[in-house]
Amino acid sequence: MRTAIVGAGLGGVAVAVGLHRAGHEVTLIEQAPDLREAGTGVVVMPNGVQALDRLGLAAGLAGWSVLAHQAGLRDRRGRPLLVTDAARAQEWVGAVHVLHRAELHRLLRAPLPAEVVRAGTPVERLDVEAGGVSVISGGRVVVRADVVVVADGVGSRLRAQLFPDYPGPRRTGRLDLRGVVQVEHLRSLVAGGLGGGDEVAGLLGGILVDRRSGAMFGLFPLGEGRLYWFTDSALPDVVPSPEQARDLVAGLMADWHPAVPALIAATDPADVHVDPIACLAEPLPPFAVGRIALLGDAAHAMPPDLGQGASQAFEDAAALTRHLLDADAGVAGIERRLLAYDAERRPRAQRLLRAALRQSRLTTRTGAAAWVRDGLLRAVPSRLATRRLAALWQATPPPNGGEAER
C-alpha cells in the first residue's frame, strides 16, 4: 500500500516507521529542509512507552527512565500540596522517560531508509481522486498514495482544508518556557550558596505552583549531566525572545524556592525554547475522512499540563499502524479501517484534551480560589493521588486483543 505521511515530527516519524515495517510503500514528507526536531526536553509517559514498544521503537529508551520517589504538586516554596508516589505508580504501569527532543527524534527515525524521506517539501493541499489521494506541493503532484496521514502539527494547513468550518487552534493566554541546564552549572550554584544538591533533587519530577501569579515550574533530570525545566506563566502582549523570556520568568519567580530562579538564570538563552501555548479550540469531529487520517497535534493538540502530547501521538501511531496491517482491500476496506482507528483513538485523546484543560485551569488559579485549591489538594491522601496518576499513565488496551479491524 502506498502511504504518505505529511509532517515529520515525533508522531509522523513513529507512524512512518510502523507502516514501513508493516510493508507499506511509505513516503514521509516534511517542509523543513532536513529532519530535525527543535525544542528542549520531552517526557514520554508509560502509555507512550507502551505505544512505542508496540511499534518496536522502545528499546532505544533504555537508560532514560526516571524513578522519582515523590512527585505531585508543591507551592512556590517547594512545600507539598498533592503528594504522589511516582516510583510506586511506575512499578504498576511502567517507567517515565525523559529525553531531549532532538535525541528522541534521532532514535525514532533511525530505522527509516533515507529514500522514503522528502524534506524541503511544503504541502499545499490534498486532492482526492478515484485512484487515491494526490499530495500537492509547489503546484504539482509530489506523490500519489492510497492513504495519507496528516501529522503537520497544531497549526495544520491540511486540517483546515479537510474541515473548512472548523475553528482550528487558539492560544490559551499562557507562555510555555522550556530550558536545559548543565549540572556543572548547578554545582557552581551550590558552591555559591544555593544550599546543596538535595534542594534541587527534592524538586525533580514535581510541579511548583504560585497562587499569586498562577505561574508554574517543573523540573526533570535529562541524562548526560543535564536538567530539563519548564514554566507556564501569563503570556505578555508581545512574545519575548528566549533571553527576554528567561529573564522575565526568573524575575517573576525570584522569591520561589531558591533553586528555581537560580536554574532559570543559569540557562544559556540558546538552550531556552519559547512557545505561546495553543490547543484546539474545540474537539475535532472525526480523526479520519475517507482515505485521510489525522494524527498527533493535528488531531488533538492539548495544553502541556498532563505531559501527554507526545505520548498521545505515539498511541495514534501504534493504533493506525495496527489498523492498516495488510489493508489491501480496496477503497471501502481502507476507509473502514480508518474509521476504526477514529473510533478507537478519538474518545481517549479528546478525554485527555479535556483533562489537560481542567488541569491548566486548576494550576493557574489565583487569589481566593487558589487558597481553596491548595487546602483541598493537601487533604487528598497520597495513595489516592498515586492511583489516579497510574490510571492516567495506563494506556487503553487495543480492542479485540490487538487485532486489526477487518
Side-chain angles (χ1 to χ4, degrees):
M1 180 187 302
R2 301 168 301 168
T3 304
I5 296 114
V6 181
L10 297 176
V13 168
V15 76
V17 172
L19 294 174
H20 173 72
R21 287 175 166 172
H24 287 231
E25 182 184 328
V26 169
T27 303
L28 178 60
I29 304 169
E30 169 58 37
Q31 66 176 350
D34 50 24
L35 294 193
R36 65 176 62 185
E37 183 76 2
T40 51
V42 59
V43 181
V44 185
M45 298 302 183
N47 54 296
V49 177
Q50 294 169 33
L52 290 177
D53 188 52
R54 293 196 293 272
L55 292 166
L57 288 170
L61 301 181
W64 296 96
S65 61
V66 176
L67 284 172
H69 293 289
Q70 191 178 92
L73 295 173
R74 299 172 179 269
D75 68 14
R76 78 180 196 280
R77 299 290 193 182
R79 296 170 297 203
L81 294 174
L82 178 71
V83 177
T84 59
D85 187 340
R88 176 61 60 87
Q90 290 175 100
E91 288 175 4
W92 292 337
V93 297
V96 173
H97 293 71
V98 186
L99 299 84
H100 197 286
R101 294 188 75 92
E103 292 161 356
L104 178 57
H105 198 269
R106 282 196 296 270
L107 286 171
L108 296 182
R109 70 177 189 257
L112 277 180
E115 60 268 20
V116 310
V117 178
R118 291 198 180 186
T121 307
V123 175
E124 298 162 4
R125 69 179 192 276
L126 303 175
D127 288 348
V128 179
E129 303 157 348
V133 183
S134 293
V135 180
I136 310 299
S137 176
R140 62 184 182 86
V141 176
V142 294
V143 65
R144 288 187 173 88
D146 301 302
V147 176
V148 172
V149 180
V150 173
D152 56 347
V154 59
S156 173
R157 182 176 188 172
L158 299 182
R159 182 185 60 224
Q161 177 195 344
L162 295 170
F163 304 97
D165 296 326
Y166 180 73
R170 65 171 177 85
R171 286 188 176 180
T172 65
R174 311 294 299 176
L175 180 69
D176 184 26
L177 196 65
R178 302 167 184 259
V180 175
V181 63
Q182 296 291 328
V183 174
E184 62 189 45
H185 294 164
L186 173 60
R187 293 194 186 100
S188 66
L189 293 172
V190 172
L194 179 58
D198 288 344
E199 288 203 22
V200 175
L203 302 182
L204 295 175
I207 304 295
L208 280 66
V209 295
D210 181 13
R211 59 179 173 235
R212 304 165 307 169
S213 64
M216 179 189 79
F217 175 89
L219 183 68
F220 284 89
L222 191 56
E224 299 183 351
R226 298 168 298 176
L227 294 171
Y228 162 53
W229 57 262
F230 53 90
T231 69
D232 177 336
S233 58
L235 178 67
D237 293 335
V238 177
V239 178
S241 69
E243 184 172 10
Q244 290 170 334
R246 182 201 62 179
D247 295 344
L248 177 69
V249 173
L252 175 68
M253 300 181 177
D255 64 348
W256 288 37
H257 184 289
V260 173
L263 287 167
I264 296 171
T267 306
D268 190 309
D271 295 322
V272 174
H273 184 73
V274 180
D275 184 23
I277 298 174
C279 64
L280 294 191
E282 59 186 50
L284 190 67
F287 288 3
V289 179
R291 293 177 171 227
I292 303 167
L294 292 94
L295 177 148
D297 282 352
H300 47 69
M302 60 187 68
D305 297 78
L306 297 180
Q308 280 286 336
S311 295
Q312 286 307 295
F314 297 149
E315 286 193 25
D316 290 347
L320 191 55
T321 297
R322 178 168 44 79
H323 283 291
L324 289 176
L325 288 175
D326 305 320
D328 293 321
V331 174
I334 293 171
E335 293 182 353
R336 185 171 63 249
R337 288 166 183 251
L338 294 186
L339 289 175
Y341 158 75
D342 172 66
E344 176 183 342
R345 287 295 304 136
R346 182 156 50 101
R348 172 168 165 78
Q350 293 185 347
R351 185 168 62 249
L352 285 171
L353 168 59
R354 292 190 293 269
L357 289 167
R358 289 195 300 271
Q359 183 73 3
S360 178
R361 290 192 292 269
L362 175 72
T363 57
T364 58
R365 289 188 182 278
T366 58
W371 280 88
V372 173
R373 173 203 65 197
D374 290 357
L376 292 174
L377 289 174
R378 289 191 181 99
V380 176
S382 177
R383 175 173 293 190
L384 175 60
T386 301
R387 291 190 178 277
R388 291 289 298 272
L389 181 65
L392 172 67
W393 289 348
Q394 179 64 58
T396 302
N400 305 320
E403 295 179 3
E405 179 73 16
R406 298 296 180 188

